[in-house]
């Protein structure tokens, strides 16, 4: 029996994934969580064979949680789900030692099969996603530019970002200008789009 922990914050999707997996005679869903910071404590409690993690989770994203889980519970293998196969996410997943990476739109009956292959220790990655990730390249942004651009993507103004990060509004604008230049964008909105497409945020 393959024991699975499922992390997905959207109730309907989580219920559908759980229902799909519970149809399989050799798979048991032993835990469900809705936030990234719940993954490791719950995994330590129930000791799953496979953790099926959405990337976009509240508090802690799935890839960050997967990296910690790999250190704390090496016996648990990780299958990451994403709504979009963003190149930056694929690279981060590979760097975190994630065994499998699957786009949600391609799930269908593949989830159970991929969970089995992941549990067996196989690395299961979509070849097209990996190829795209290698072509896109690493993020050109500094950590501070990334943080500022991420805040801007959430709709924060330069003044709000400055307050949150304990910077002056002028310094924030300088970071945004640097991010626009490094991404080859026309403006802040374009820089956010490019960075999100690359999975850099």
């Amino acid at each position: 029996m393959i024991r699975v922990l499922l992390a997905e914050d959207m109730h309907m999707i989580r219920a559908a994934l759980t229902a799909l997996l519970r149809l399989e005679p050799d798979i048991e869903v032993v835990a469900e969580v809705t936030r990234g910071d719940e993954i490791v404590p719950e995994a330590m409690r129930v000791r799953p064979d496979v953790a099926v993690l959405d990337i976009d989770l509240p508090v802690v994203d799935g890839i960050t949680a997967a990296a910690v889980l790999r250190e704390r519970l090496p016996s648990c293998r990780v299958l990451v789900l994403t709504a979009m196969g963003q190149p930056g996410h694929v690279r981060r997943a590979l760097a975190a030692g994630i065994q499998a990476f699957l786009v949600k739109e391609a799930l269908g009956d593949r989830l159970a099969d991929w969970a089995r292959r992941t549990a067996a220790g196989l690395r299961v990655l979509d070849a097209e996603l990996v190829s795209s990730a290698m072509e896109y390249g690493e993020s050109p942004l500094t950590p501070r530019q990334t943080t500022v651009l991420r805040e801007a993507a959430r709709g924060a103004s330069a003044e709000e970002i400055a307050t949150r990060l304990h910077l002056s509004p002028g310094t924030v604008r300088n970071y945004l200008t640097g991010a626009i230049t490094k991404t080859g964008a026309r403006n802040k909105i374009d820089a956010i789009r490019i960075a999100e497409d690359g999975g850099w945020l």
Side-chain angles (χ1 to χ4, degrees):
M1 186 68 74
I2 299 169
R3 296 165 54 81
V4 173
L5 177 148
L6 180 61
E8 167 61 62
D9 63 321
M10 296 184 68
H11 174 73
M12 289 183 66
I13 295 175
R14 189 174 67 256
L17 296 177
T18 299
L20 269 175
L21 291 172
R22 285 186 171 151
L23 290 172
E24 305 298 324
D26 59 336
I27 295 177
E28 178 185 8
V29 178
V30 294
E32 299 176 39
V33 299
T34 59
R35 298 180 354 186
D37 61 328
E38 298 171 334
I39 292 170
V40 174
E42 189 66 5
M44 297 304 293
R45 187 180 74 81
V46 300
R47 303 278 168 164
D49 301 304
V50 177
V52 178
L53 313 179
D54 183 27
I55 280 185
D56 299 312
L57 292 169
V59 187
V60 176
D61 69 85
I63 294 176
T64 301
V68 177
L69 183 58
R70 187 166 177 256
E71 290 179 6
R72 298 280 306 278
L73 191 63
S75 62
C76 178
R77 302 190 178 276
V78 178
L79 167 55
V80 167
L81 303 179
T82 181
M84 295 174 291
Q86 295 176 328
H89 286 161
V90 178
R91 282 195 310 276
R92 283 185 61 213
L94 292 172
I98 290 168
Q99 287 79 19
F101 195 95
L102 185 59
V103 177
K104 285 182 183 177
E105 285 80 356
L107 282 177
D109 58 357
R110 297 174 69 188
L111 179 58
D113 180 52
W114 281 42
R116 290 185 188 98
R117 293 165 71 186
T118 303
L122 301 175
R123 177 164 265 192
V124 191
L125 301 166
D126 186 298
E128 189 174 326
L129 288 180
V130 174
S131 175
S132 173
M134 296 305 105
E135 288 174 10
Y136 210 92
E138 296 290 335
S139 172
L141 304 174
T142 66
R144 185 59 93 177
Q145 287 169 341
T146 301
T147 301
V148 169
L149 198 60
R150 186 180 294 122
E151 291 293 328
R154 292 174 179 150
S157 67
E159 289 72 21
E160 290 169 332
I161 297 170
T163 299
R164 288 178 197 171
L165 301 181
H166 307 289
L167 302 169
S168 72
T171 300
V172 169
R173 290 188 189 95
N174 286 340
Y175 282 127
L176 287 172
T177 299
I180 290 166
T181 301
K182 285 187 176 180
T183 56
R186 297 183 303 277
N187 52 42
K188 178 178 72 175
I189 302 302
D190 195 31
I192 291 168
R193 179 190 60 77
I194 291 168
E196 286 181 338
D197 286 349
W200 301 333
L201 298 184

